[in-house]
């Protein structure tokens, strides 16, 4: 499996994976992302900014993830530059059960290390037990739970070992293909 930064012209591909996942989650009776969250306009903006990455198996798009340099909405108290933040991790239904989520999390951890960010952080709706179990099996530790409106969110973090970090410019640097480990 290879993971590459999504090009601006791949925003529709990213949005398709996100929408497929959003529909699957909603069909299970657990809606998560709003249409605006996974709409092409929002995805295009984030893709243009270099935030989305695509996991490919051959020519198939297996999954996507957005990696942010900051997350003041869910982690406002954290020092700027201290972490990378994982958002909108989604797996194509055809690739469910093939380790794509784990590979995307490994990639995010590697990016944090490359950028010299000592923490990898993420959040999820607190009642998503299978998702929380995935994060915990991967090595994330529960940091805290916060409430936003009527929903509770679990905040997870993992300490990362830095490796030859380039200077932080405030934008994720482009990355080439990353082969399977």
């Amino acid at each position: 499996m290879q993971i590459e930064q999504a090009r601006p012209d791949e925003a529709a591909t990213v949005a398709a994976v996100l929408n497929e996942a959003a529909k699957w989650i909603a069909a299970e009776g657990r809606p998560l992302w709003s249409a605006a969250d996974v709409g092409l306009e929002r995805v295009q903006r984030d893709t243009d900014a270099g935030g989305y990455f695509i996991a490919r198996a051959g020519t198939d798009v297996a999954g996507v993830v957005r990696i942010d340099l900051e997350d003041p909405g869910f982690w406002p108290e954290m020092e700027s530059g201290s972490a990378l933040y994982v958002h909108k991790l989604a797996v194509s239904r055809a690739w469910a059960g093939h380790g794509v989520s784990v590979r995307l999390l490994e990639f995010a951890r590697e990016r944090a290390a490359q950028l010299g960010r000592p923490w990898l952080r993420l959040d999820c709706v607190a009642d998503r037990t299978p998702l929380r179990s995935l994060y915990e099996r991967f090595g994330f530790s529960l940091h805290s739970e916060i409430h936003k409106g009527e929903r509770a969110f679990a905040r997870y973090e993992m300490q990362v070992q830095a490796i030859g970090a380039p200077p932080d410019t405030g934008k994720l640097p482009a990355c080439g293909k990353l082969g399977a480990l």
Side-chain angles (χ1 to χ4, degrees):
M1 184 164 304
Q2 295 181 335
I3 299 176
E4 301 172 298
Q5 194 166 33
R7 298 182 315 270
D9 65 344
E10 294 178 306
T13 299
V14 172
V17 174
L18 293 170
N19 278 284
E20 179 188 34
K23 288 176 185 170
W24 173 71
I25 293 168
E28 297 272 315
R30 306 171 293 139
L32 181 61
W33 298 322
S34 72
D37 288 338
V38 295
L40 184 55
E41 183 178 324
R42 171 67 189 265
V43 172
Q44 185 70 61
R45 185 173 64 241
D46 293 336
T47 304
D48 289 348
Y52 272 106
F53 294 83
I54 299 174
R56 288 188 172 87
T59 59
D60 287 351
V61 173
V64 299
V65 66
R66 192 180 85 218
I67 302 174
D68 294 325
L69 295 170
E70 304 296 334
D71 185 359
F74 281 88
W75 298 86
E77 77 281 14
M78 296 303 170
E79 180 183 344
S80 180
S82 66
L84 282 188
Y85 299 87
V86 173
H87 290 283
K88 299 291 188 296
L89 190 151
V91 175
S92 297
R93 299 313 317 141
W95 282 92
H98 289 91
V100 177
S101 293
V102 169
R103 186 62 194 105
L104 287 166
L105 290 171
E106 288 170 345
F107 177 79
R109 182 178 58 204
E110 292 163 9
R111 294 290 289 167
Q114 290 167 352
L115 293 173
R117 301 282 178 120
W119 296 96
L120 182 62
R121 295 187 173 114
L122 52 79
D123 63 82
C124 67
V125 177
D127 68 0
R128 306 290 167 134
T129 304
L131 188 56
R132 291 180 70 165
S133 293
L134 167 73
Y135 296 147
E136 291 166 8
R137 283 191 312 270
F138 187 77
F140 281 95
S141 297
L142 179 65
H143 176 278
S144 58
E145 286 192 15
I146 61 169
H147 292 271
K148 290 193 166 275
E150 296 293 317
R151 292 181 114 172
F153 293 87
R155 300 190 315 170
Y156 282 91
E157 66 183 3
M158 156 186 289
Q159 195 157 21
V160 207
Q161 179 103 21
I163 52 170
D168 188 351
T169 62
K171 182 176 178 185
L172 287 173
C175 74
K177 293 182 179 181
L178 179 64
L181 296 175

